[in-house]
Amino acid sequence: MSKHFPNSKVCATDLDDAREICQMNIDLNGCDNCSFEELDWEVEEQNGVKWDVIIVTDCTYNPLYYDALLHVLQRESSSHTVVLIAHKFREPLSESEFFTKCMANFTLQRQRWYSDSSTLIHMGLYRCQK
Ligand SMILES: C[S@@+](CC[C@H](N)C(=O)[O-])C[C@H]1O[C@@H](n2cnc3c(N)ncnc32)[C@H](O)[C@@H]1O
């Protein structure tokens, strides 16, 4: 995304464990407008940041983190923020709980859906806005 929008400021986040591989990807792709910042969904921060776009990829697999992740999305978005959630279903029943919770604070639209019964891969892209 940072290559597609070279005039934007992109911040890639994950736990500190992922810093090295994330920074390597940033460097290998020559993403000069992208930096890595540690973000633990379970740690409360008061940075006052509101993003234009938040992209979440493959982070909805563990029900234990749903409330913390949704809290971060709520905290760092305004009514103008578009939240894109790219999602690979691993446990469809429990993971649909994430989207049910999400709908309490965001309007949710499914943009894309990919399903392959031979490989049992199911993926979706959702657009959320307050
Ligand atoms: C399945 S990986 C997806 C990684 C990456 N977003 C991608 O699409 O390749 C899930 C990621 O969630 C991160 N994660 C798990 N718990 C987290 C937490 N409490 N705060 C922030 N990130 C967390 C993990 O470190 C891991 O990188």
Side-chain angles (χ1 to χ4, degrees), residues 92-109:
L93 279 181
S94 64
E95 287 168 74
S96 60
E97 183 194 328
F98 174 83
F99 293 99
T100 303
K101 287 185 170 212
C102 197
M103 281 190 283
N105 293 299
F106 293 93
T107 304
L108 195 66
Q109 291 175 315

Side-chain angles (χ1 to χ4, degrees), residues 13-18 25 38-43 55-62 65 68-69 72 86 90:
T13 70
D14 204 314
L15 296 173
D16 197 54
D17 294 351
N25 280 330
E38 178 185 356
L39 172 70
D40 185 336
W41 308 323
E42 295 188 292
V43 174
I55 301 171
V56 182
T57 61
D58 201 14
C59 290
T60 50
Y61 59 97
N62 189 341
Y65 296 132
L69 175 56
V72 171
R90 291 182 172 82

Side-chain angles (χ1 to χ4, degrees), residues 35-47:
S35 60
F36 176 84
E37 276 186 38
E38 178 185 356
L39 172 70
D40 185 336
W41 308 323
E42 295 188 292
V43 174
E44 187 55 44
E45 287 181 27
Q46 299 294 342
N47 56 19

Side-chain angles (χ1 to χ4, degrees), residues 53-124:
V53 181
I54 299 176
I55 301 171
V56 182
T57 61
D58 201 14
C59 290
T60 50
Y61 59 97
N62 189 341
L64 293 176
Y65 296 132
Y66 289 174
D67 289 338
L69 175 56
L70 285 166
H71 178 69
V72 171
L73 297 179
Q74 176 79 9
R75 182 184 72 208
E76 306 210 2
S77 62
S78 71
S79 58
H80 301 290
T81 306
V82 172
V83 182
L84 295 173
I85 302 178
H87 171 74
K88 177 178 170 188
F89 272 104
R90 291 182 172 82
E91 299 286 343
L93 279 181
S94 64
E95 287 168 74
S96 60
E97 183 194 328
F98 174 83
F99 293 99
T100 303
K101 287 185 170 212
C102 197
M103 281 190 283
N105 293 299
F106 293 93
T107 304
L108 195 66
Q109 291 175 315
R110 191 159 79 187
Q111 306 283 297
R112 293 275 187 280
W113 178 248
Y114 170 85
S115 187
D116 182 340
S117 53
S118 63
T119 57
L120 295 178
I121 290 177
H122 309 283
M123 291 186 285

